[in-house]
Amino acid sequence: MSRYPSLPIHPGRGLGFLILGASLHDVLTRLKAQPHLYPIIDVSYSPTQPLVAPVILNLPANGFRLRFDGPDQRLRLIEILDFSKTQLSYKNIDLIKVPEERTPNAESQEPPNQHGPAFRHIYNRLMGPTFPGEYLAPNDDTGSHTGLYVLSYPGIAFTFPLQHSAWSPSVDFVSLLSSTAANPAKSLAVFSGASWHEARHDLFTRPCPNPRSLALSAKGKEHQPDEIDLVSVCGGGVVDLIRRSSNPFRIVLGETTPQDLVAELGPPDAIYRKSDHRLSIHKPRRREQRTSHGSYGASPVKSEDLFDTDHSSAHTTTDDSDAEEDNVPGDDNRTQPTAKCFYNYFRHGFDVFISYPPNPSPCFPHAQTPHDPPATVKVTDHLVATKVLLHGNVPGSYPFNRYRRTRWVIDADASGSVHHLDSETSFTRLSDELRNVWKGNYASEQAEKATHNAIVLDRDWGDSPGSSYEVLEGWEDNDQMQKRGASAQEGSGSGTTQIFGFPDARCVVDAGKPGAVLGKNRPKYIKQCADDLYRWQQSRIGAARTGNFILHDGPPYANGPLHIGHALNKILKDITCRFQLSLGKKVDYVPGWDCHGLPIEIKALEKEKNRHVISHGGTINPLQIRQAAKVLADTAFSSQKQSFREWGIMADWNKAWKTMDSDYVLRQLRVFGSMVRGGLIKRRFKPVYWSPSSRTALAEAELEYREDHQSTAAYIKYPMCLDVQGQTMSVNLLIWTTTPWTLPANRAIAIRSDIEYCIVDTSKHGLIIIARPALSHLDSQLDLGSTMVHSFPGSHLVGRAYTDPLTCDAASRPILDASFVSSTTGTGLVHVAPGHGMDDYDLCLKHGITAFAPVDDLGRYTTLALPDRPHILEGKDVLDEASTVVLELYREKGCYVTHLPYIHKYPYDWRTKKPVIIRATEQWFTDLSHIQSAALEALDKVRFAPETGRARLKSFVQNRQEWCISRQRAWGVPIPALYNEATGGAILTNESVDHIISEMSHRGVDAWWSDPQDDTRWITPALIAQHGSTKLRRGRDTMDVWFDSGTSWTEMVSTEHQQADLYLEGTDQHRGWFQSSLLTHVAWQTVSGLPAEDVKAPFKTLITHGFVLDSEGRKMSKSIGNVISPQEIMTGTMLPAIKGRGHDAMGPDALRLWVASSDYKSDVRISVEGLKEVHTYLAKYRTTFRFLLGVVEDFRGPFQEGAEPFRTPHRIVLMRLRQVFRAVQAYYGNAEYNRAVSEINKFILVDLSSSFFESVKDVLYADQGEPRRQTQYALLIIMRSLQTMLAPVTPLLIEEVYDYSPAWIKEHFPHPLQLHWAEQLTLLDRFHDDRLDVDVSNLDKTRAAINTAQERARSRKLLGSGLESCITIQIEETSHSAMAFFRRYLSDLDMLFVVSGVDLVAGDWQKEQTVPWMESEKFVIEGSKAIIHVYKSPLAKCVRCWRYIAAPDAAAQDVLCDRCSSIIESIVR
């Protein structure tokens, strides 16, 4: 026997040869080399986040555990968990003595030694004094009374168990740990840091000072080449190796020789020939399945060792391959069979392929690579490096821990258009970015695909960061790639992998295997369950139709790919439509798209490369913008429509509408024209939300608010003269503003007449007037040092005047009374700028003060801001430097008091994400005051779900008097207004609007922009005659996009009052589409002369859903990196790969089931755990249908109950099915889809899988005749009912089940997607049984008692299958009701409880002597005491049905029961 290894502790550095910072590869290599000392090596990691969570290496036989960080796989923490397994010392002093006669034993069953080093031994002899540590109280849930005290020294910490009752923060820790309340140390940790408390927070992320290589850490070591910290891929065949302490080394593919590599990196750890069988990365191979947690003992195993590392040539350049290389046709004759090889640098984490130089590779486009490869390569006999393979070494990838993990970065684009790409980048983004970099390099799409080849590779991680990355010299020979890929696919590798090729690089990643719905069948199933089904239901006539159901689509924006929020919305709509269809209604659902607006226009500008013109104040041809925008919108429309269809959405896709369609635009303009006739459209110069970044006005619905906006809050004083007690005093009005840039537009100061004001004498600012309630607050904040001189009511100030020192004539300004003034914020005096505030404008309008806004479209001052000195403010950005300049002007005038930063809520442009301003401009408005009451009354007739939506929508309508509908953009529906060039006046009459609409209907909307400005065809003869020689020009404003989508109800031409049964959108649409639809619809009806009581909303029911958040409750954001695409759910790539199968791609039904399982009426969180549950249930559905299809295959009827009634298990499950069916129907009707799915899941798991299926297996597999047919009929009813209930949620699965159904089912029954709920419910109502419904609870009690007794027997290893047991039910002799209850069902109890026999006795009962064991369980039934006795069946096991009901026959090994014997005989006859 060998002694335990003795390991010295080095605080902050390591344990023995284990040095903090060492690589996982190096540590494993050393441990595996000493199996007699380290017999068990157990590695575990997170299967979902392999590069985030630490990799843990357990050495249970040695009592310690090592933790490595995920990204770099470097040792960060060493934990001693059992001091009895390894001899530990510190400065030659043992921590404790370990018995030498014992050795590490993998099979030792002794509990860990809990007696570690005592506190006094550590404190007095080993480590010395230290600061107090940290006490961790016991967890209340565990019931433990012992806490833990963590005592920390630099680089090392000990954990002492401490009785919780003894802990007190006031007691000295030395006394506490020296007392009997403390036990010896339980564990020890070695780490890098001053103390555990400080180090633990960034233990796995801080830079590590030690080298990765254990060899470099050893004393007296030989010279070792410096290790590689980072690999930079520069393009053009250039790879920079960034070293730990020495200068970088550059590998130039095609030039760097093997000698250069050896000189800089040292000899390779191994050399493999190109044809070596171990280079199986590009070849199919078989392999045992593995899990994410593996243990490896000293005994040999058949499966491949995941940590296998070839040591035969460590640090020597030897050739350990005896395989011969195949001659490849077309190879250069100069190539020798033994020439090409791989230099394997395990400790650096990469391989270099040595061969003859091919053609050079190009540089990354736009990259500034310092090395320029030659255009041609001279034919030479010199071998050079031509490929570098960087190893990702992700846990679960091939072959995990064979190499050190390499950290790398790709320097692909110096222009900055490509995001940072490195070894932590997911493959999807890496591939997308590199495709984008090289998109101009391919002649065609076919040429691009030619470089992407499918191969077979044994990997478990697909879209994982750290997938292997190959740096190539030039393009790899495509013929060889195709040959390799073809041969690989003929093999039987465990997963499909794709290689995506680019010049300079090849990225390897799993593509996964097709999942539940095979790729080749999915289009067929989608067509059948969506397109064909929609056409079928539209064509139904007569009795088959029970009414119409119209769902009007809230149009998604035609810009960019679909996200998970689109999936939630569209699938909720589809589930609703499918349920209404199953009720017999004709469903009308025509999808629509919102196509106008700023985001598309900005993209169009980018595409035309003219955006820089706009940013410098120039213009661009609007027609060019419109044409480019239309192309972009059409492209997005086609892409999004295809994605929606792939989700199985049932709709009239051929009639899909777009807000840019000419007929849609004309209908919208006619609605606008009707509002003009009704006097609802007006043009005003008033403040609106203005976006300088978009150069357009915005509506409230186009804003989003940020809580962390920082403004400059300033205190400014305005001088005035005031009579105080008969004396005229020079005083100053002190105002507070968060928008100092609006001060040049000041036109008044507002106060409130019922607030008390006061004059205070200040040492710094003279006499100032403020609200008296604000005095104490302002005195402390501004350090006024004030004394109150006089107080008076606010009414004393109303009507008086003050002067503005910035104006050249020092014009007087009025003081006005305003209700919006408050004494709790600011000073009680408000600076009023009617051109920059909504309340300010309304106040000044009452007093005849015009709005003034000296700010241009870009948010910069004009010359009017300071007319006497225009150069000072002109061109200053009001959201940038303007406030500073303005405050300096007031300082010069002696009116500046102070300014402070102010964090508050502020509106931002929802498109550009930049702040907006309030600015008075000439805009078109809809006057809502005339239709507001009618709109509110219309909402009273609407059903809301949830009901809280009613108050929310009403509040938006009530608080909105006007709607700014004009926008200063080119991509939109034009406002059909004309303008007098001489006066600037707008012309918008009934006749002019009708005439313009008529012209557009004949000549197209774009003609409004393309025609010359002097084209008179747009002007009515009457206007021409009226204005004479004065030119009239066409306006350039377009309508608010909410007006566009808000008039989409005009698409419902066939409905009464153009009203839909349902609008279903996100809750944000209360302030958007719901509101704009309501207002335009009510306006149209009101103007049309409809009586107020008949005015209706465009929707009968309004359902809202929440937003989709990540697992932590955060919004999806590209910057955070938490965006989840619907495709990831459909392909299964969000979930860990299944060993040997890749990702389980369950298709659209997985996405749909996730939506249906979510409580959408509030915000929905999406997580890996939730998706795992969805996949589990979807897999359970498939398993259940597969079982049902199998057992009904040979059933041929009759299709009703036979003469013999169903047995008890059948009656129970069919009765329960009826209850579930009715509940699910009710939940669907209330749009509570998550509750419907929950009810279905519970029925499948509990009533079917756990109960009924087990009960009837004997009848199905071993019986014949009527019992089996009755069971098959019951299962047929169950299958048809499940199909009906699941049809709205998983239509592809139902279509697939129908596809695989026997022909006789298709002949006798309608398609399940066409099945009427009422028909199935009529059938299920036959199984209603009030008495059985009551009795089921007693049967469940009995089953629970049986299960309890059986589990006790199983725990004693006495019982396996329940069929091995018999049951006796013992009832009190006086309990007649209990006896009557069990007698009713006695003949079916063995089937119901899945046992081989059931007896019922009253009174006393004793088991027979021959029964070897028995377990009993008491329970109460019908108010009486009862006992369940479970015991081994005295009969023999029937080899056919496996029930223990056969007569024992000592002479025969295989016996049959009477039933099976007669069946066998009938078959033989």
Side-chain angles (χ1 to χ4, degrees):
M1 289 189 178
S2 62
R3 295 182 70 255
Y4 281 75
S6 179
L7 299 177
I9 298 174
H10 305 288
R13 180 171 173 79
L15 176 67
F17 66 89
L18 299 171
I19 304 300
L20 293 174
S23 70
L24 176 63
H25 163 74
D26 233 27
V27 171
L28 279 169
T29 300
R30 181 69 68 93
L31 295 175
K32 285 172 62 64
Q34 305 176 76
H36 58 292
L37 297 180
Y38 305 100
I40 299 179
I41 302 173
D42 182 273
V43 179
S44 60
Y45 52 85
S46 169
T48 58
Q49 295 180 308
L51 293 182
V52 177
V55 178
I56 301 174
L57 193 155
N58 282 293
L59 298 167
N62 304 86
F64 56 89
R65 176 171 63 196
L66 311 178
R67 292 180 184 261
F68 300 77
D69 67 81
D72 219 13
Q73 295 176 357
R74 301 184 70 178
L75 180 59
R76 300 292 188 159
L77 180 64
I78 302 172
E79 300 170 280
I80 307 299
L81 305 177
D82 188 348
F83 292 95
S84 67
K85 298 290 183 66
T86 300
Q87 187 70 60
L88 303 174
S89 63
Y90 176 67
K91 294 185 177 180
N92 297 323
I93 301 176
D94 291 337
L95 263 69
I96 62 170
K97 285 291 184 181
V98 177
E100 295 190 6
E101 64 276 8
R102 295 181 57 220
T103 58
N105 187 350
E107 298 181 359
S108 174
Q109 299 298 320
E110 296 182 19
N113 189 346
Q114 297 300 320
H115 299 290
F119 167 72
R120 279 295 177 184
H121 179 60
I122 296 172
Y123 193 78
N124 294 339
R125 298 192 61 198
L126 296 179
M127 311 301 299
T130 186
F131 294 101
E134 179 183 10
Y135 177 67
L136 305 177
N139 190 333
D140 295 336
D141 297 336
T142 62
S144 173
H145 301 289
T146 303
L148 294 174
Y149 192 92
V150 181
L151 185 67
S152 181
Y153 292 88
I156 189 170
F158 299 86
T159 303
F160 297 90
L162 179 67
Q163 293 179 15
H164 184 59
S165 58
W167 163 250
S168 172
S170 61
V171 179
D172 177 64
F173 80 94
V174 176
S175 303
L176 200 61
L177 296 180
S178 300
S179 68
T180 57
N183 290 331
K186 180 180 181 180
S187 61
L188 175 155
V190 180
F191 55 90
S192 176
S195 70
W196 176 249
H197 179 73
E198 296 178 4
R200 62 185 176 185
H201 302 293
D202 60 349
L203 188 65
F204 293 92
T205 57
R206 72 162 70 110
C208 192
N210 301 324
R212 292 177 177 81
S213 173
L214 294 172
L216 291 175
S217 305
K219 294 182 178 179
K221 59 184 180 295
E222 298 179 2
H223 170 73
Q224 295 284 342
D226 199 1
E227 61 189 12
I228 307 301
D229 263 349
L230 181 69
V231 177
S232 178
V233 182
C234 303
V238 177
V239 180
D240 283 341
L241 307 181
I242 313 301
R243 294 189 272 203
R244 183 169 173 265
S245 56
S246 54
N247 293 329
F249 169 53
R250 169 163 291 176
I251 296 178
V252 180
L253 300 180
E255 295 183 13
T256 300
T257 66
Q259 291 75 25
D260 296 331
L261 296 174
V262 173
E264 292 286 344
L265 305 176
D269 298 300
I271 298 178
Y272 292 157
R273 299 298 179 201
K274 184 179 180 182
S275 58
D276 197 318
H277 67 280
R278 280 168 295 188
L279 298 178
S280 54
I281 174 174
H282 300 309
K283 298 178 182 178
R285 59 177 176 178
R286 293 186 179 274
R287 192 154 165 201
E288 296 292 328
Q289 291 186 4
R290 62 182 186 270
T291 64
S292 62
H293 184 98
S295 297
Y296 303 90
S299 59
V301 292
K302 293 182 179 180
S303 60
E304 178 180 339
D305 190 347
L306 299 182
F307 309 116
D308 177 37
T309 304
D310 195 329
H311 305 282
S312 61
S313 57
H315 308 298
T316 61
T317 53
T318 59
D319 179 7
D320 58 357
S321 172
D322 56 4
E324 292 184 0
E325 182 176 2
D326 296 332
N327 291 325
V328 180
D331 257 11
D332 197 304
N333 292 331
R334 57 190 171 87
T335 304
Q336 301 298 321
T338 59
K340 297 181 180 180
C341 62
F342 276 95
Y343 274 23
N344 297 113
Y345 287 97
F346 299 127
R347 64 186 184 279
H348 290 312
F350 57 81
D351 299 340
V352 182
F353 184 54
I354 307 299
S355 68
Y356 295 103
N359 289 330
S361 59
C363 299
F364 288 119
H366 314 297
Q368 299 174 357
T369 306
H371 176 82
D372 295 323
T376 60
V377 178
K378 181 180 178 181
V379 177
T380 175
D381 290 334
H382 293 298
L383 291 169
V384 290
T386 59
K387 181 190 302 184
V388 178
L389 175 63
L390 309 177
H391 295 288
N393 202 40
V394 177
S397 66
Y398 83 95
F400 179 39
N401 296 327
R402 183 180 179 91
Y403 303 90
R404 200 202 88 191
R405 174 170 164 74
T406 303
R407 302 291 292 276
W408 48 262
V409 62
I410 302 177
D411 186 13
D413 185 12
S415 67
S417 61
V418 178
H419 297 91
H420 182 76
L421 303 176
D422 59 22
S423 46
E424 276 68 68
T425 303
S426 70
F427 174 79
T428 300
R429 215 191 89 202
L430 180 66
S431 175
D432 289 345
E433 294 281 4
L434 290 180
R435 286 175 191 266
N436 185 56
V437 168
W438 288 105
K439 61 186 177 184
N441 199 276
Y442 307 109
S444 63
E445 184 178 352
Q446 289 72 23
E448 179 182 5
K449 290 181 178 178
T451 64
H452 304 163
N453 302 275
I455 62 170
V456 173
L457 175 65
D458 185 13
R459 287 169 54 82
D460 296 321
W461 274 85
D463 192 27
S464 64
S467 298
S468 295
Y469 189 89
E470 295 191 24
V471 183
L472 309 177
E473 166 71 0
W475 292 87
E476 177 143 332
D477 189 330
N478 200 48
D479 292 337
Q480 296 302 318
M481 290 284 289
Q482 291 174 351
K483 176 181 176 182
R484 175 190 300 164
S487 62
Q489 293 197 33
E490 294 170 1
S492 55
S494 62
T496 302
T497 302
Q498 287 183 331
I499 291 183
F500 293 90
F502 306 93
D504 256 349
R506 191 170 65 208
C507 309
V508 183
V509 68
D510 281 349
K513 288 189 175 180
V517 181
L518 298 178
K520 63 179 181 180
N521 287 331
R522 185 180 298 170
K524 179 184 74 172
Y525 292 150
I526 289 175
K527 180 179 180 296
Q528 292 171 346
C529 75
D531 300 346
D532 293 351
L533 181 63
Y534 189 86
R535 283 192 294 270
W536 169 83
Q537 63 91 26
Q538 282 279 308
S539 65
R540 282 190 303 178
I541 57 175
R545 181 180 295 176
T546 60
N548 293 345
F549 177 81
I550 301 170
L551 192 155
H552 186 54
D553 197 22
Y557 197 57
N559 182 32
L562 301 179
H563 53 71
I564 196 66
H566 288 111
L568 178 66
N569 178 262
K570 269 295 191 286
I571 292 173
L572 285 174
K573 293 175 180 176
D574 190 62
I575 294 173
T576 303
C577 288
R578 289 178 181 275
F579 174 68
Q580 294 296 328
L581 183 152
S582 68
L583 296 179
K585 295 182 180 180
K586 174 194 171 187
V587 172
D588 287 319
Y589 176 41
V590 183
W593 269 264
D594 194 355
C595 299
H596 292 131
L598 182 62
I600 296 177
E601 182 167 339
I602 290 177
K603 282 191 174 182
L605 288 168
E606 291 173 345
K607 185 177 180 182
E608 296 298 311
K609 300 185 183 298
N610 285 313
R611 192 174 182 182
H612 67 283
V613 176
I614 298 299
S615 64
H616 290 83
T619 59
I620 186 176
N621 185 342
L623 192 59
Q624 288 179 316
I625 298 176
R626 292 181 61 81
Q627 290 171 345
K630 186 178 187 304
V631 171
L632 289 172
D634 269 327
T635 302
F637 160 75
S638 300
S639 174
Q640 290 184 2
K641 183 170 75 168
Q642 180 60 31
S643 296
F644 283 140
R645 300 183 79 164
E646 289 174 356
W647 299 346
I649 305 299
M650 180 189 70
D652 195 342
W653 296 106
N654 294 328
K655 294 182 180 178
W657 51 269
K658 304 185 287 291
T659 57
M660 65 181 181
D661 293 339
S662 58
D663 55 345
Y664 184 99
V665 171
L666 292 174
R667 285 197 301 272
Q668 176 181 334
L669 286 170
R670 291 186 184 106
V671 172
F672 178 84
S674 69
M675 295 170 72
V676 171
R677 287 192 296 275
L680 300 179
I681 306 298
K682 299 177 181 179
R683 186 167 177 82
R684 292 179 181 173
F685 181 79
K686 65 173 294 184
V688 295
Y689 289 108
W690 183 270
S691 172
S693 56
S694 300
R695 296 180 63 193
T696 186
L698 298 178
E700 176 70 31
E702 296 173 298
L703 303 175
E704 59 185 23
Y705 287 85
R706 282 184 52 175
E707 303 285 346
D708 59 348
H709 180 83
Q710 179 172 312
S711 295
T712 297
Y715 291 90
I716 301 294
K717 56 185 183 179
Y718 288 92
M720 70 172 294
C721 293
L722 184 68
D723 291 333
V724 179
Q725 297 178 343
Q727 180 181 359
T728 301
M729 301 178 64
S730 295
V731 295
N732 296 283
L733 302 169
L734 184 65
I735 64 96
W736 173 79
T737 179
T738 59
T739 55
W741 61 267
T742 64
L743 292 173
N746 174 268
R747 289 295 180 268
I749 286 179
I751 58 97
R752 210 171 79 197
S753 58
D754 59 348
I755 293 178
E756 185 177 3
Y757 289 83
C758 63
I759 301 174
V760 295
D761 190 1
T762 66
S763 58
K764 298 180 181 179
H765 310 293
L767 296 173
I768 62 173
I769 296 178
I770 58 175
R772 186 169 183 177
L775 177 59
S776 59
H777 165 69
L778 293 173
D779 200 7
S780 61
Q781 185 179 37
L782 303 180
D783 191 21
L784 296 176
S786 61
T787 302
M788 189 172 69
V789 175
H790 182 62
S791 65
F792 49 86
S795 57
H796 186 63
L797 290 173
V798 175
R800 298 182 183 272
Y802 67 96
T803 57
D804 182 355
L806 284 192
T807 58
C808 57
D809 57 355
S812 61
R813 304 271 192 259
I815 299 176
L816 306 176
D817 184 16
S819 60
F820 58 77
V821 177
S822 170
S823 62
T824 58
T825 57
T827 65
L829 297 96
V830 177
H831 140 69
V832 176
H836 297 294
M838 312 294 189
D839 291 335
D840 301 22
Y841 173 82
D842 292 336
L843 176 65
C844 289
L845 187 65
K846 295 177 184 177
H847 294 84
I849 301 173
T850 58
F852 173 62
V855 178
D856 65 14
D857 291 356
L858 294 173
R860 299 168 183 169
Y861 280 132
T862 67
T863 57
L864 297 177
L866 200 63
D868 57 331
R869 292 178 291 169
H871 64 280
I872 295 179
L873 292 180
E874 184 182 8
K876 296 293 189 296
D877 190 332
V878 299
L879 291 173
D880 190 8
E881 77 271 34
S883 291
T884 303
V885 178
V886 168
L887 292 179
E888 187 59 34
L889 290 173
Y890 276 93
R891 189 193 300 272
E892 294 174 1
K893 298 293 185 179
C895 295
Y896 168 82
V897 176
T898 189
H899 74 275
L900 303 165
Y902 181 64
I903 307 297
H904 63 128
K905 184 178 179 181
Y906 194 84
Y908 275 63
D909 186 329
W910 74 331
R911 298 299 189 188
T912 64
K913 310 300 181 184
K914 294 183 179 180
V916 303
I917 61 175
I918 296 177
R919 172 190 176 222
T921 61
E922 288 277 0
Q923 300 291 340
W924 292 100
F925 293 87
T926 298
D927 185 355
L928 302 177
S929 60
H930 298 296
I931 62 171
Q932 192 176 65
S933 59
L936 293 172
E937 290 177 11
L939 289 180
D940 291 334
K941 308 167 190 174
V942 175
R943 172 180 171 260
F944 284 80
E947 180 60 30
T948 54
R950 184 188 307 278
R952 179 175 168 83
L953 183 52
K954 275 192 169 186
S955 68
F956 284 122
V957 175
Q958 286 171 337
N959 296 325
R960 194 175 192 183
Q961 300 299 316
E962 289 182 324
W963 175 8
C964 178
I965 62 171
S966 54
R967 297 293 180 269
Q968 288 65 52
R969 308 307 307 177
W971 180 231
V973 176
I975 292 180
L978 301 172
Y979 295 86
N980 187 313
E981 284 199 347
T983 64
I987 300 170
L988 190 73
T989 65
N990 299 339
E991 295 76 14
S992 67
V993 171
D994 291 341
H995 179 75
I996 291 170
I997 293 175
S998 176
E999 286 294 315
M1000 287 185 183
S1001 66
H1002 290 97
R1003 302 170 52 219
V1005 179
D1006 283 345
W1008 181 260
W1009 280 272
S1010 62
D1011 284 356
Q1013 276 294 345
D1014 58 358
D1015 192 327
T1016 59
R1017 286 179 293 180
W1018 297 96
I1019 307 171
T1020 64
L1023 284 175
I1024 295 176
Q1026 179 182 346
H1027 290 273
S1029 60
T1030 303
K1031 287 187 177 180
L1032 301 181
R1033 62 176 176 85
R1034 300 187 300 280
R1036 286 294 183 260
D1037 288 349
T1038 55
M1039 292 190 199
D1040 177 12
V1041 291
W1042 290 114
F1043 199 101
D1044 289 13
S1045 59
T1047 53
S1048 63
W1049 47 263
T1050 59
E1051 287 287 330
M1052 299 183 288
V1053 293
S1054 61
T1055 63
E1056 184 182 5
H1057 301 305
Q1058 294 179 308
Q1059 187 181 38
D1061 291 279
L1062 176 65
Y1063 275 29
L1064 193 161
E1065 300 298 331
T1067 186
D1068 57 327
Q1069 296 307 317
H1070 285 116
R1071 62 199 293 260
W1073 185 59
F1074 294 156
Q1075 188 181 170
S1076 64
S1077 298
L1078 172 70
L1079 295 175
T1080 57
H1081 193 253
V1082 169
W1084 170 72
Q1085 295 174 93
T1086 303
V1087 171
S1088 300
L1090 203 66
E1093 61 273 14
D1094 293 335
V1095 172
K1096 293 181 173 60
F1099 36 79
K1100 297 176 182 177
T1101 300
L1102 194 149
I1103 297 177
T1104 54
H1105 60 76
F1107 296 101
V1108 182
L1109 310 176
D1110 68 7
S1111 58
E1112 299 178 12
R1114 301 174 300 178
K1115 285 185 177 181
M1116 299 287 177
S1117 169
K1118 292 181 180 178
S1119 60
I1120 299 176
N1122 63 345
V1123 176
I1124 296 171
S1125 72
Q1127 194 67 19
E1128 289 179 280
I1129 300 176
M1130 292 167 60
T1131 58
T1133 52
M1134 268 203 66
L1135 303 179
I1138 299 174
K1139 308 305 178 182
R1141 286 174 50 195
H1143 294 285
D1144 194 358
M1146 289 200 167
D1149 280 343
L1151 182 65
R1152 297 176 63 92
L1153 184 57
W1154 168 76
V1155 171
S1157 302
S1158 303
D1159 184 4
Y1160 65 85
K1161 293 178 182 177
S1162 58
D1163 289 342
V1164 178
R1165 295 193 180 193
I1166 185 169
S1167 65
V1168 171
E1169 291 305 316
L1171 291 175
K1172 282 182 180 177
E1173 185 175 346
V1174 167
H1175 274 243
T1176 299
Y1177 280 121
L1178 190 53
K1180 187 64 178 178
Y1181 298 166
R1182 297 183 59 79
T1183 304
T1184 302
F1185 280 122
R1186 187 182 297 115
F1187 171 76
L1188 292 170
L1189 284 173
V1191 297
V1192 302
E1193 174 70 28
D1194 60 343
F1195 180 63
R1196 295 297 182 271
F1199 302 110
Q1200 64 275 337
E1201 283 189 86
E1204 180 184 345
F1206 281 130
R1207 296 183 66 179
T1208 301
H1210 304 70
R1211 293 165 56 208
I1212 290 175
V1213 76
L1214 291 174
M1215 179 189 70
R1216 175 69 182 136
L1217 175 61
R1218 174 187 173 274
Q1219 295 169 349
V1220 170
F1221 197 86
R1222 282 188 170 275
V1224 170
Q1225 184 183 25
Y1227 289 141
Y1228 274 137
N1230 292 327
E1232 297 175 295
Y1233 304 134
N1234 61 317
R1235 300 184 69 179
V1237 169
S1238 177
E1239 196 74 19
I1240 296 169
N1241 291 342
K1242 186 166 64 173
F1243 176 72
I1244 292 175
L1245 292 177
V1246 178
D1247 296 280
L1248 294 185
S1249 295
S1250 299
S1251 181
F1252 184 65
F1253 286 172
E1254 291 297 320
S1255 297
V1256 299
K1257 280 181 180 178
D1258 175 69
V1259 174
L1260 291 172
Y1261 298 153
D1263 217 329
Q1264 284 188 339
E1266 189 61 24
R1268 188 170 188 274
R1269 283 193 295 275
Q1270 288 284 2
T1271 300
Q1272 287 178 305
Y1273 180 49
L1275 290 172
L1276 176 64
I1277 295 172
I1278 291 170
M1279 184 176 77
R1280 297 283 296 168
S1281 300
L1282 283 178
Q1283 287 176 311
T1284 303
M1285 290 189 290
L1286 285 172
V1289 177
T1290 58
L1292 274 77
L1293 173 61
I1294 302 307
E1295 191 67 55
E1296 187 183 11
V1297 171
Y1298 183 74
D1299 192 24
Y1300 284 93
S1301 296
W1304 64 265
I1305 288 183
K1306 298 177 182 179
E1307 293 172 2
H1308 288 85
F1309 299 102
H1311 194 293
L1313 295 177
Q1314 301 172 5
L1315 187 61
H1316 200 303
W1317 278 76
E1319 298 173 7
Q1320 195 68 9
L1321 192 57
T1322 301
L1323 172 64
L1324 293 176
D1325 281 342
R1326 293 163 47 195
F1327 306 113
H1328 176 62
D1329 189 328
D1330 290 331
R1331 183 173 188 176
L1332 181 61
D1333 196 13
V1334 174
D1335 287 350
V1336 162
S1337 61
N1338 285 331
L1339 291 172
D1340 289 340
K1341 286 182 184 178
T1342 309
R1343 188 198 306 273
I1346 293 171
N1347 290 342
T1348 301
Q1350 286 180 333
E1351 287 305 314
R1352 282 205 300 268
R1354 289 189 178 100
S1355 66
R1356 295 171 55 197
K1357 311 292 186 185
L1358 301 175
L1359 179 66
S1361 167
L1363 291 174
E1364 297 177 25
S1365 62
C1366 287
I1367 293 170
T1368 295
I1369 305 174
Q1370 182 183 358
I1371 307 293
E1372 286 183 339
E1373 192 169 358
T1374 57
S1375 179
H1376 300 294
S1377 61
M1379 289 297 291
F1381 165 75
F1382 280 115
R1383 286 195 182 104
R1384 279 199 300 272
Y1385 305 107
L1386 185 60
S1387 61
D1388 292 336
L1389 292 183
D1390 58 343
M1391 180 183 184
L1392 182 65
F1393 299 140
V1394 197
V1395 294
S1396 289
V1398 177
D1399 288 329
L1400 179 66
V1401 296
D1404 297 334
W1405 177 82
Q1406 297 292 329
K1407 73 178 180 72
E1408 298 181 9
Q1409 295 292 333
T1410 56
V1411 175
W1413 59 266
M1414 185 176 72
E1415 291 289 344
S1416 301
E1417 179 69 17
K1418 295 180 180 180
F1419 69 110
V1420 176
I1421 192 81
E1422 293 286 314
S1424 302
K1425 295 179 181 179
I1427 305 175
I1428 288 291
H1429 301 288
V1430 177
Y1431 50 90
K1432 183 176 178 59
S1433 173
L1435 300 179
K1437 177 182 180 180
C1438 172
V1439 296
R1440 182 173 179 271
C1441 68
W1442 291 12
R1443 297 179 69 199
Y1444 285 73
I1445 56 175
D1449 187 347
Q1453 293 183 347
D1454 297 334
V1455 293
L1456 293 171
C1457 64
D1458 293 342
R1459 179 193 62 177
C1460 292
S1461 179
S1462 63
I1463 291 174
I1464 294 296
E1465 289 177 4
S1466 65
I1467 294 173
V1468 173
R1469 287 197 300 267

